[in-house]
Amino acid sequence: MVRMASAIKMLIRGSAGTAVIAATVAALGKLRTTHLITVTRQTTAEPEHIWPLWEDVPARVRWDDGLDWIRLDEGPFALGATGHVKLKGQSAVRFEIIECDPMRRYTDRFFLPGGTFMDWEHTIEDRGDGTREVTFKVVVKGPTALVLTPIMKKILGGALPETVDRLVSLAEETAKAGRG
């Protein structure tokens, strides 16, 4: 009987220890913004050829093959707009445009389980030499950020550079077709 009581106490202490560790990781994740990846590509395409590719949300599947689908709930692509996205092999998640400066930059926030979110910052920066830099920067913040970061880095590290390459190529093709 004494052994059983000792075993139960150890289990309780072990569970409490696990709970303390989990709570600590969650608290640290809440306080910290974790950089996942930044991909920048140089292009001759004008913002007028890049921005519409971002703005036409359902058509993003043309250049982002990681998507099953993506859509706005209603209204135009603008600050405060909300929508849903389904990545291949994943459940659909909600997103909101939290920053929008047309032809220059926007940020959409994807709401993940456990009160965690992932911000995707998209920018077009003029280099002054007839070219621009198109940048995608992804950060995560929230209680599960420390757990999600290694998984998301592995996924995005392989897929995002190719996605940005396809976006830039499509913008350049559109620009060439418009000049012809």
Side-chain angles (χ1 to χ4, degrees), residues 39-97:
V39 176
T40 300
R41 296 294 186 258
Q42 192 168 328
T43 182
T44 56
E46 300 282 341
E48 293 78 17
H49 300 112
I50 302 163
W51 189 263
L53 297 172
W54 285 338
E55 198 171 42
D56 188 355
V57 175
R60 289 183 187 178
V61 295
R62 289 176 40 206
W63 50 269
D64 188 341
D65 64 3
L67 303 176
D68 275 339
W69 53 263
I70 183 169
R71 65 175 178 256
L72 291 176
D73 292 332
E74 60 183 57
F77 182 84
L79 181 65
T82 60
H84 288 81
V85 62
K86 178 153 182 340
L87 303 173
K88 291 183 178 175
Q90 303 294 319
S91 299
V93 296
R94 186 173 68 87
F95 70 90
E96 178 180 356
I97 299 172

Side-chain angles (χ1 to χ4, degrees), residues 44-176:
T44 56
E46 300 282 341
E48 293 78 17
H49 300 112
I50 302 163
W51 189 263
L53 297 172
W54 285 338
E55 198 171 42
D56 188 355
V57 175
R60 289 183 187 178
V61 295
R62 289 176 40 206
W63 50 269
D64 188 341
D65 64 3
L67 303 176
D68 275 339
W69 53 263
I70 183 169
R71 65 175 178 256
L72 291 176
D73 292 332
E74 60 183 57
F77 182 84
L79 181 65
T82 60
H84 288 81
V85 62
K86 178 153 182 340
L87 303 173
K88 291 183 178 175
Q90 303 294 319
S91 299
V93 296
R94 186 173 68 87
F95 70 90
E96 178 180 356
I97 299 172
I98 62 168
E99 175 188 28
C100 189
D101 183 1
M103 302 295 165
R104 296 190 61 217
R105 67 183 306 115
Y106 82 94
T107 302
D108 44 6
R109 174 169 286 169
F110 292 77
F111 298 92
L112 305 176
T116 300
F117 57 85
M118 185 173 2
D119 287 351
W120 287 68
E121 303 168 14
H122 308 77
T123 60
I124 304 167
E125 188 173 336
D126 194 334
R127 294 176 37 95
D129 61 359
T131 65
R132 274 136 301 283
E133 287 184 341
V134 175
T135 300
F136 285 51
K137 178 181 177 184
V138 185
V139 298
V140 178
K141 186 171 183 176
T144 60
L146 293 174
V147 174
L148 289 176
T149 297
I151 298 164
M152 296 307 298
K153 275 188 177 186
K154 184 174 183 178
I155 293 168
L156 294 175
L160 190 58
E162 293 175 7
T163 298
V164 179
D165 288 342
R166 283 190 296 276
L167 170 77
V168 166
S169 291
L170 189 55
E172 290 174 352
E173 289 170 20
T174 303
K176 286 178 187 172

